Amino acid sequence: MRAKLFVMLTVLAMAFAFIPAASAGDGPGLTPEEVNEVIFPGASIEIEKTVHTPEIPPSVDVCLLEDETGSFSDDIANLQNPATIAAIYNDVVAGAPGANFAVAGFRDYDLDPYGNSGDWVYRLTSAMSPDFLDWESGVNALTAGGGNDGPEAQYDAIVAAAGPGPTDYEPDSQGFEDDCGWRVDDTVTRVLVVTTDAPFHGPDGTHANDEASTLAALGAQDVVVIGLKAPGAGGELDALAAATGGSVQALSSDGSNIATAILDGLADIEIEVAMTSNCSDPITTTFDPASIVVTSGDDAVFTETISVAATAPGGTYHCADWALIDGTPMADEAGVVIREVKTIQVPEGFLTGGGQIGKGKSALSFGGNVGYLADAGFTVVGEWQFHDHDLKLIMHSLEIQALQFSNDTDPAPDPPPANANVGTFAGSARVKVGSGAWDYGCRFVAEVHDHGEPDVEDEFGIFIDCGTDSWDYFPTEVVDSGNLQIHSGLKD
C-alpha cells in the first residue's frame, strides 16, 4: 500500500481549489464581493451574504412641505441661502443619484380665526423634478406670513401633498393644487419632509383631516414622513413619522440646521432589502429571508443557498447576485450596479456517497465526494471522512491530490471512461485517535467499488499513514449500509 500511495501522490497529484477572501469597503456594497466554489452535481452550499445598504435610499422622491407662516420667516431665509439650497441637493444626489425634488408650502384657511386673508392651506412651488434649477426655484418661491392662530392646517396640507391629484377636503374657495408630483414607480421611495413649529388643527368643520385620515392618504401613496420639528411643534409629526417608517429631526428655532436635519432624516428611513441573481440552470440560488426591512445605512444579512442540479454537465459556470433596495438595484456612487460575481466549478467524473461497514461500536463509517474539474489540468477536488468507532479514530481529508478511475477487470485509460466502477483517490489528512490531538501530517489512499444502484455490494477500503502510526483497511470490504456511486467520466 505504501508503494501505491507514493505512486498516486507523485504521478497524479493536482492543485487543490481555494476560496479567496472578500472584504467590504465603505458605502453601499456586498460581502463577499465574489464567490469561488466547487460544488458537486446534486449538492449545494450555503453562503452568508451581507448587504451594506446606502445611507439614503437609491431612488427617492423628496418633497419639502415648508411651514410658510410668519413665525418661519428666519427659517425660510436660512433655507434660501444659495449654499444651503445647493448643499441639500448635492448631498442627496451624491447618495441617491436618481433623486427627484419638489417644494410645497402650507399656512391655514384664510378664514378667521384660523388664518389671515390671502393665506393658503397648501401650494406647490415646484413639482417633482431631478433638475437643480427647479429645486432652487421652488425653494426661492417660499414666503413667510399670516397664520393667525397657533395651530395650522398641517393635516390637510399633508393629505394634499400626498395626493393623488387635487383633493376635495376643503371649501371651494381653498382649492388645493396638485400633489407633489410623485413618480409612478414602485421602486421609488417617496419622502415628504414636513417642517413646522406649531401643533395641528384637527377636524372642526373647516379642517377636514385627523391623524387616521392623514395616515390613510399617506399609506395609499406609500409616502414616508420625515418631521422637522422646531420649538413649539406638537406631537403629531412624531406619530405620522413612526407610522410611515420615517423619523423626526429637531429643527433649530431659526432653521439654520435644516440641511443637516433633512439629510439625517433621509438616512433614517426604513428600507426593504432583497437579493436577486442571474444564475440559471444548472446553477440555482435561493435567499433566506426573501427580504429584510432595515434602516437605511444598516447591514442586511442573508443566507444564500447555491445548488447544482444532479444532471449538471461538468465545467465552470459564471453568474452574479445583486441587492434590491425598495426594488431598485443597489449601485455605487457612479450609478453602476454592485454585483457579487460567482465562479462555480462543477466536477465531471466523480464519486460520491458514504456508508458503514459493521455495526455498533466496531463499525467503520465514511463518506464524502471526490472528482475531476473539467478544466485543462483535470484538477482534483473534494473531501472525505473516515471513522473507526472501535479505535475512536477520526480522519478528515485536508487535500485530495490524486484520483484514478478504473474497472474491476480491465485496466482503465486516463482520463477515465464513463463505465468505470472503481475509484481510487489519495491525499493529505488530519487524524485524531481518542482524546488525543489532531495530527496534520498524515496521508491516505482510499478505494471505492460501485457495483450498482442502490448499493449492490459496494465496497470500500482505506489506508492511513501518519508516519509513526498507520492503519490498513485493505482488502476492501462490502458496505453493510449506505451507497457509493461513481458518476459518469469526463465528457467530450
Side-chain angles (χ1 to χ4, degrees):
M1 282 306 305
R2 287 179 176 81
K4 186 174 184 179
L5 173 65
F6 176 78
V7 170
M8 289 195 68
L9 294 181
T10 56
V11 175
L12 299 175
M14 298 180 182
F16 187 65
F18 68 95
I19 303 172
S23 61
D26 296 331
L30 286 173
T31 302
E33 296 173 351
E34 62 180 68
V35 169
N36 296 284
E37 289 285 353
V38 174
I39 308 177
F40 283 76
S44 62
I45 63 166
E46 290 186 349
I47 299 288
E48 183 177 282
K49 188 176 306 300
T50 301
V51 181
H52 310 285
T53 67
E55 292 293 330
I56 298 175
S59 183
V60 63
D61 280 355
V62 181
C63 181
L64 174 63
L65 181 58
E66 181 79 8
D67 189 327
E68 291 190 89
T69 59
S71 60
F72 251 66
S73 58
D74 52 353
D75 300 75
I76 291 175
N78 281 319
L79 174 62
Q80 290 174 337
N81 182 313
T84 302
I85 294 174
I88 295 171
Y89 179 90
N90 292 333
D91 286 350
V92 172
V93 170
N100 277 218
F101 301 82
V103 184
F106 69 87
R107 289 186 184 177
D108 209 335
Y109 291 92
D110 65 348
L111 302 172
D112 187 62
Y114 307 120
N116 296 95
S117 177
D119 277 356
W120 51 85
V121 174
Y122 167 86
R123 67 170 185 150
L124 188 67
T125 59
S126 65
M128 199 63 66
S129 168
D131 191 79
F132 171 76
L133 293 179
D134 291 336
W135 159 252
E136 183 181 46
S137 174
V139 172
N140 284 330
L142 296 169
T143 60
N148 200 9
D149 65 350
E152 310 299 351
Q154 293 97 326
Y155 278 136
D156 286 2
I158 291 170
V159 169
T167 166
D168 58 2
Y169 283 136
E170 73 296 330
D172 292 341
S173 62
Q174 291 289 326
F176 288 175
E177 301 179 41
D178 287 345
D179 62 36
C180 291
W182 313 105
R183 283 178 283 177
V184 182
D185 185 342
D186 291 340
T187 67
V188 172
T189 302
R190 299 171 176 176
V191 181
L192 183 64
V193 180
V194 184
T195 72
T196 193
D197 63 353
F200 292 21
H201 270 301
D204 54 16
T206 298
H207 299 86
N209 291 283
D210 58 10
E211 179 183 312
S213 62
T214 302
L215 284 175
L218 292 166
Q221 299 303 310
D222 200 18
V223 175
V224 176
V225 171
I226 294 176
L228 305 188
K229 291 177 59 176
E236 296 92 345
L237 275 179
D238 299 79
L240 297 180
T244 59
S247 67
V248 171
Q249 307 294 324
L251 195 62
S252 61
S253 59
D254 62 356
S256 58
N257 68 328
I258 189 169
T260 301
I262 289 174
L263 293 171
D264 287 347
L266 290 173
D268 198 20
I269 293 175
E270 290 184 349
I271 55 176
E272 183 178 28
V273 186
M275 290 298 306
T276 190
S277 173
N278 64 6
C279 297
S280 58
D281 188 63
I283 310 297
T284 59
T285 57
T286 58
F287 302 93
D288 184 31
S291 65
I292 306 174
V293 175
V294 300
T295 300
S296 53
D298 288 351
D299 287 348
V301 180
F302 297 84
T303 298
E304 178 182 23
T305 301
I306 308 171
S307 302
V308 176
T311 57
T316 300
Y317 296 84
H318 301 281
C319 54
D321 298 342
W322 59 94
L324 300 176
I325 309 297
D326 289 335
T328 298
M330 187 174 70
D332 60 20
E333 291 185 0
V336 178
V337 174
I338 299 169
R339 297 175 184 267
E340 173 233 75
V341 178
K342 299 184 188 305
T343 300
I344 306 299
Q345 293 179 292
V346 178
E348 185 171 38
F350 59 98
L351 62 90
T352 61
Q356 185 169 290
I357 296 172
K359 297 180 180 179
K361 295 182 179 180
S362 61
L364 308 176
S365 57
F366 44 85
N369 48 54
V370 183
Y372 285 107
L373 293 181
D375 57 13
F378 295 141
T379 306
V380 178
V381 293
E383 61 180 355
W384 199 264
Q385 298 184 22
F386 174 77
H387 190 181
D388 183 330
H389 296 269
D390 184 28
L391 296 180
K392 297 182 179 180
L393 178 149
I394 301 173
M395 185 213 82
H396 292 173
S397 67
L398 297 174
E399 183 179 33
I400 305 298
Q401 297 166 315
L403 169 63
Q404 179 64 65
F405 290 112
S406 59
N407 200 282
D408 277 346
T409 57
D410 302 316
D414 186 8
N419 64 348
N421 60 9
V422 177
T424 306
F425 55 98
S428 59
R430 60 175 179 149
V431 174
K432 181 172 73 169
V433 180
S435 60
W438 286 101
D439 185 343
Y440 284 78
C442 304
R443 318 291 283 181
F444 76 97
V445 170
E447 189 168 287
V448 167
H449 293 245
D450 176 15
H451 291 151
E453 307 306 323
D455 183 24
V456 181
E457 294 191 339
D458 292 344
E459 298 179 32
F460 176 77
I462 190 169
F463 174 75
I464 303 169
D465 185 0
C466 292
T468 56
D469 294 298
S470 64
W471 299 266
D472 193 345
Y473 300 89
F474 277 92
T476 59
E477 293 190 46
V478 173
V479 175
D480 292 310
S481 62
N483 188 39
L484 298 168
Q485 186 172 4
I486 295 177
H487 302 261
S488 62
L490 291 166
K491 299 177 179 64
D492 293 335

